[in-house]
Amino acid sequence: MDYKISKASTKFRYGMSDPNQLEDWLRAENVIGVSMIGRSNVGKSSSINSLFGNKTANISKTPGRTREINIFEFKLELNGKPVEDGPTYWLFDLPGYGHAKVSKEMKSHWQKLMHTFFENAGDDVLMLNLQDARHPNQDSDKEFKKYLEPYGFNTFMVFNKLDKLKTQKERSALNKLKPQIYKESDWVEQVHFVSAEKKTGIPTLETSVVNFLLNQTQQRSS
Ligand SMILES: Nc1nc2c(ncn2[C@@H]2O[C@H](COP(=O)(O)OP(=O)(O)O)[C@@H](O)[C@H]2O)c(=O)[nH]1
Ligand SMILES: [Mg+2]
């Protein structure tokens, strides 16, 4: 059976910046979904657009501006037809980490909001941790990985902007990444290489995300 994300079904629902509101909502909703997290400018919004439909998320010209968690709902489609009576799934576009130029107040707000999200999202949210394929494992990426690990979420590492790798040297460095990640971080379930812009690797990532959603749904109903 060929399930896909129904791009036509994706709808923006909430922009949440208040941790208390977020906590209440997550506790009440008991969501199954997927969340995008990564450094500012790594291509979270672009990846969301290629997976969930053009112009779902705003692609920012200025990094680090998003203070909110943007929440979207979506459904799956089967053989090109939306599953109307199927479950509603949720997509979270999280504000980026690692922006150097923000104030202390903004950093502490970010930490509080993120903490609330990771504490309350639950096991049925898949974390897609995006990194830049040209500059993997930046300090802020490593710091975030350390932060994420104890939560025990299902996590895929996604390396974006594959189209920007031009030299053989860059490509072979990237090939070594996968075994290195599985060795260092056995809690990372999958590693993907994509270009949100050229759509390389996006169909494969979509299949993996859909399989995750179907699995979690099935586990709940059994
Ligand atoms: N070349 C290339 N540029 C990309 C790709 N994905 C995103 N970008 C660009 O990177 C910038 C930041 O993208 P955005 O999606 O807003 O990043 P976000 O801050 O993580 O949400 C934009 O100028 C995008 O056009 C990609 O796969 N390839
Ligand atoms: Mg964005």
Side-chain angles (χ1 to χ4, degrees), residues 153-165:
F153 283 105
N154 295 284
T155 304
F156 298 172
M157 298 299 298
V158 180
F159 294 89
N160 185 37
K161 307 198 185 183
L162 201 59
D163 59 286
K164 286 202 174 183
L165 295 186

Side-chain angles (χ1 to χ4, degrees), residues 6 29 100 127 159 171-172 191:
S6 165
E29 205 55 51
M127 298 296 157
F159 294 89
R171 286 172 192 278
S172 71
V191 177

Side-chain angles (χ1 to χ4, degrees), residues 52-156:
F52 294 90
N54 257 342
K55 303 202 172 109
T56 298
N58 291 325
I59 295 175
S60 51
K61 293 274 168 276
T62 328
R65 280 296 165 83
T66 324
R67 296 148 178 262
E68 301 180 324
I69 296 184
N70 288 312
I71 305 178
F72 306 83
E73 60 168 62
F74 65 96
K75 291 186 172 272
L76 296 184
E77 60 181 37
L78 180 57
N79 303 325
K81 289 196 191 87
V83 190
E84 297 291 356
D85 54 353
T88 295
Y89 297 106
W90 296 91
L91 161 68
F92 303 89
D93 187 8
L94 303 183
Y97 56 76
H99 27 76
K101 285 188 189 138
V102 302
S103 65
K104 261 194 180 156
E105 284 76 4
M106 232 186 111
K107 262 187 200 148
S108 103
H109 170 75
W110 186 90
Q111 279 163 354
K112 199 150 178 238
L113 196 63
M114 287 302 106
H115 182 76
T116 305
F117 180 76
F118 293 116
E119 285 289 328
N120 296 286
D123 292 343
D124 292 338
V125 175
L126 172 68
M127 298 296 157
L128 299 185
N129 188 183
L130 262 75
Q131 290 195 22
D132 189 323
R134 285 169 312 165
H135 313 287
N137 280 318
Q138 302 277 298
D139 286 346
S140 57
D141 292 322
K142 288 188 211 154
E143 232 173 87
F144 181 75
K145 242 167 81 185
K146 246 190 250 163
Y147 171 81
L148 188 64
E149 180 175 7
Y151 284 108
F153 283 105
N154 295 284
T155 304
F156 298 172

